[in-house]
Each structure stands twice: as C-alpha cells, then as structure tokens.
Amino acid sequence: MWQFWKRHKRKVYVTLGFVGSGYLLYKLYYARSRRLVDLQKQLARERENEELIKAQIQAHFESVQRIADSTTLPHVMHLLDNRLTENLDLTQLTERLIQGKGQPNTLNKAEKLELWDRLKILSFTKMVSSLWAMTMLSLYIRVQVNILGRHLYIDTARGLGNSDLLDEAELIDKNDEQQFLACADYLSNYGLLALISNAESASLEILKGKQLKDSFNVLALSNTFIHILETLMVMRSPHHWVGYLMPEDAGVYLPSGSSASDPSHVTKFESLMVETRAVLSSAEFGNIVDVSLRAVMNAVLEDVIIQSGENSLTSGMPLARLLPRIAHISQLLLKEPNRSRYIQIIRNIPEIERFFTVLYSTASTS
C-alpha cells in the first residue's frame, strides 16, 4: 500500500482536487440556481401584483370616464345651454325686427339699423361663446378624469405593498372625487358672464366696420371667427381664460365646515385643483385647445354651408342673411352631448388622443 501510495499519491491529490472543485462548483451553481429561481418567483409575484394593480386602476379609470361621459358632461352641457339661452336670448331682437318689417311705422331707419347691428354682434357672440364653452368643457372634463387616474396610480404605488389591500384601501376619497368633478359646473355658475362679456367685446372689435350688406364667403366667415376666438383667448392675459373654467381659490367648492373638521380632505381636493390649473396653463394644452377650436369651427362652417347652399356661400352672401344661420347653429352646439358630432370630432383628433395618453401615462410613471 505504501508503495502504491508513493506511486499514485499525485494522481489521488489531483483527483481529489478535481472532485472537490467540482463539488464546490456544483454547490455554487446550485446556490445560484436557487437564487435565480427565488428571484424569478419574486419577479413573477411582483408582475402579478402589478397586473392586479393595473386592472384595479383601469377598472376605476373606466368607471370615472363613464361617469364623466354619461353623467357629468350631459349635465354640464345642459346647464350651460340654459345659462347661455338666458343671457344671450336673441328672440326679442328678431321679434322687434319682424314687427318693424310688418308694421313699417313702428321703427324708424335708425332704430332698425341699431337693432340689426345689435343682432349682428350678439349672433357672433353667442356662436363664439357656445363654440368655446363646448370645446373647452369637453377638454376640461377629460383633464379631470386623467388627473383622477394620476392620483389613483400614485396612491396605489405608494400604499399597496400587498395586493390583498386592494380591496380594503379607498385610494381616492369619494367626496374628493365628486367634489372635483362638480367643479365642471363652475363655467355655467360663475365664469359664463365674464366669457360672454369678453366674447362680445372681441366680436365688437373684429366686426367693427363690417356692414350687413357686406358679402361674406367661406374664407371671410372663417377668418372672422378665427380673429374673434384669437382675441378672446388673449384678452387681459394669455391664460386669463382659465378663470372662466375654474376658481382661483379651490375653497369656493369646498363643503361648508370641511376646512375646520378635516384638513387632509381639503388638502387632497386642493391638490387636484392645483394640478388641473397647471395642466390648463401648459403650452401643450394650449396647442390642443387651438387644434380643437379650429376643428369645431370647421365643422360649424360646414353646417353653415349646408344651410346656406354651397354655391351661395362660395360666391358670397350678405352678412344679414348669414346671421339667422349662425344663430341657429350656435343653439345646436350644446345639444345632446352624448350624440354630438362636434364633441366626437374633438375626441377623434389624433393630437388630442396623444395629449391625454401622455398626460395619464407620464403621471403614472412619475
């Protein structure tokens, strides 16, 4: 044995070295494999949890979107339609003009001209006010819905380490949600009179010197609307129009006594309002406002052409004959928002879709 050992001990050591190294490598490989398996299981659980969170968020987001489309928007548009009719009623003017035409002695020439001039200004004022309000409210409500989605995602990401908590946690207080969506009424209840007043001032400025007998074709009418809208958007300051849509002080819409009893509730509601104002004041939102207003204006012009007869408006039509058509279409802008082709046009603009996709997805990853 001794002789055998002397002859083969080197081989034995080498063999033992290989076996030991192999065993060590096996243990390292096994440990690494276990760590990889554990890591994969952990990642799978995280992915499952993330998918569950996303499903919860998507379900809530779609629920809020349905509420906004089926309840908030129709309610707000109906209220706005009533308020506009109350404050821009052209019936008395038209009835006096009709009466003056049937009974020539009731109005002298100066009074007729004054009534026609007033009808001219108010017809454009009503059209611009209706067009602007309908467009901006449809965008504003979508901004609200996306901001609610933003808060939902952030609160979920911060507060839910365990997917079991999804059923227990009320991530956005329902009172905050309802109060925030109720702010869509602000334009009708508070901002409309200022909008009408400024739209009338803009119409006076742009229509100054334009006579009722002046011939208007499609291009002239389009340019007139564009100039009035551009003037309205920059009156006083570039973002003054935000004040038509929402209060500068969020406390206007807080329930009585909420500030003293529940400061955290106030803070949450106010944070929603602050984010909304930031979005409305952004350059990106300004771009989609411009795109949306022009798209709706083009649709309105198409309707005016249909009512007037394509050849009539192509060759030109006296402004006096256009006024009844403008007044009529302005009444349609706020009707039946669920089926409104104007609102559908806004929703289908690619730039609008991209803006709201970025707004929601960027907020979700912040």
Side-chain angles (χ1 to χ4, degrees):
M1 291 294 295
W2 178 250
Q3 292 298 323
F4 178 82
W5 172 253
K6 288 177 64 176
R7 286 197 302 269
H8 299 288
K9 65 178 181 178
R10 187 173 181 179
K11 295 179 181 177
V12 172
Y13 286 140
V14 171
T15 302
L16 290 174
F18 274 118
V19 172
S21 298
Y23 180 75
L24 179 61
L25 289 173
Y26 168 75
K27 293 293 289 183
L28 291 172
Y29 172 77
Y30 179 76
R32 179 179 174 81
S33 298
R34 286 294 302 272
R35 285 197 298 271
L36 287 174
V37 169
D38 291 342
L39 181 60
Q40 288 173 350
K41 288 181 179 179
Q42 181 182 350
L43 290 174
R45 286 195 298 269
E46 290 177 357
R47 281 195 298 268
E48 183 178 350
N49 190 51
E50 184 178 348
E51 290 300 320
L52 184 57
I53 291 172
K54 286 181 178 179
Q56 292 281 339
I57 293 170
Q58 186 65 27
H60 183 276
F61 180 79
E62 290 175 356
S63 173
V64 176
Q65 181 71 66
R66 284 194 298 271
I67 292 171
D69 289 342
S70 64
T71 304
T72 307
L73 187 61
H75 164 75
V76 170
M77 290 294 182
H78 178 70
L79 179 61
L80 182 63
D81 186 27
N82 291 338
R83 293 283 193 272
L84 268 169
T85 301
E86 291 171 6
N87 291 281
L88 281 173
D89 187 5
L90 308 182
T91 306
Q92 291 185 354
L93 285 174
T94 54
E95 286 179 351
R96 287 191 64 190
L97 285 168
I98 292 171
Q99 184 183 10
K101 186 176 181 180
Q103 302 174 12
N105 296 328
T106 58
L107 292 174
N108 59 40
K109 185 176 181 180
E111 289 173 332
K112 286 182 181 179
L113 287 175
E114 183 181 352
L115 286 174
W116 271 107
D117 193 61
R118 186 67 181 149
L119 183 62
K120 174 186 70 175
I121 298 301
L122 290 186
S123 294
F124 277 87
T125 299
K126 188 169 186 177
M127 170 61 80
V128 170
S129 298
S130 300
L131 190 154
W132 190 94
M134 183 274 296
T135 302
M136 298 302 289
L137 269 183
S138 63
L139 294 174
Y140 175 72
I141 291 172
R142 286 193 69 181
V143 168
Q144 286 185 307
V145 170
N146 279 273
I147 287 177
L148 285 175
R150 172 185 193 176
H151 274 262
L152 177 68
Y153 186 93
I154 292 175
D155 288 349
T156 302
R158 287 176 180 170
L160 297 180
N162 188 335
S163 62
D164 293 336
L165 297 177
L166 280 167
D167 296 330
E168 301 174 8
E170 193 67 45
L171 300 174
I172 297 179
D173 187 270
K174 291 296 182 184
N175 290 328
D176 281 322
E177 219 173 75
Q178 293 170 3
Q179 202 66 35
F180 182 54
L181 291 174
C183 290
D185 282 346
Y186 184 83
L187 174 61
S188 299
N189 292 329
Y190 298 96
L192 185 60
L193 291 180
L195 169 63
I196 291 173
S197 176
N198 289 332
E200 184 176 348
S201 298
S203 299
L204 277 167
E205 181 178 336
I206 301 305
L207 293 171
K208 183 170 54 181
K210 291 184 172 24
Q211 305 298 318
L212 294 167
K213 62 183 179 180
D214 291 348
S215 180
F216 272 67
N217 57 21
V218 177
L219 181 60
L221 189 59
S222 174
N223 288 337
T224 302
F225 282 134
I226 289 174
H227 291 155
I228 294 174
L229 285 168
E230 288 177 343
T231 303
L232 176 64
M233 292 296 286
V234 298
M235 292 185 80
R236 300 191 186 182
S237 65
H239 293 103
H240 175 73
W241 52 266
V242 176
Y244 306 147
L245 292 168
M246 61 183 301
E248 190 160 346
D249 178 12
V252 170
Y253 271 91
L254 288 173
S256 177
S258 63
S259 179
S261 62
D262 191 0
S264 63
H265 176 83
V266 175
T267 301
K268 187 70 172 180
F269 172 77
E270 287 179 341
S271 70
L272 291 168
M273 298 295 285
V274 167
E275 289 182 27
T276 302
R277 182 173 287 274
V279 171
L280 298 188
S281 302
S282 67
E284 293 80 7
F285 187 76
N287 291 336
I288 70 161
V289 166
D290 183 64
V291 170
S292 301
L293 287 173
R294 289 177 181 272
V296 175
M297 186 196 66
N298 288 336
V300 166
L301 287 173
E302 290 174 2
D303 291 341
V304 173
I305 291 171
I306 292 172
Q307 281 203 2
S308 307
E310 185 174 353
N311 293 333
S312 299
L313 202 55
T314 301
S315 57
M317 178 181 290
L319 180 57
R321 289 182 57 195
L322 275 175
L323 294 182
R325 294 163 173 81
I326 292 172
H328 173 70
I329 292 174
S330 67
Q331 295 175 345
L332 304 178
L333 283 166
L334 301 172
K335 302 294 185 185
E336 299 183 335
N338 286 332
R339 295 186 291 177
S340 170
R341 84 181 190 96
Y342 303 111
I343 291 177
Q344 199 59 47
I345 285 170
I346 296 171
R347 289 176 179 170
N348 292 337
I349 297 173
E351 292 90 339
I352 306 299
E353 291 298 319
R354 284 194 295 269
F355 174 82
F356 285 108
T357 299
V358 171
L359 176 63
Y360 186 69
S361 62
T362 301
S364 296
T365 57
S366 60

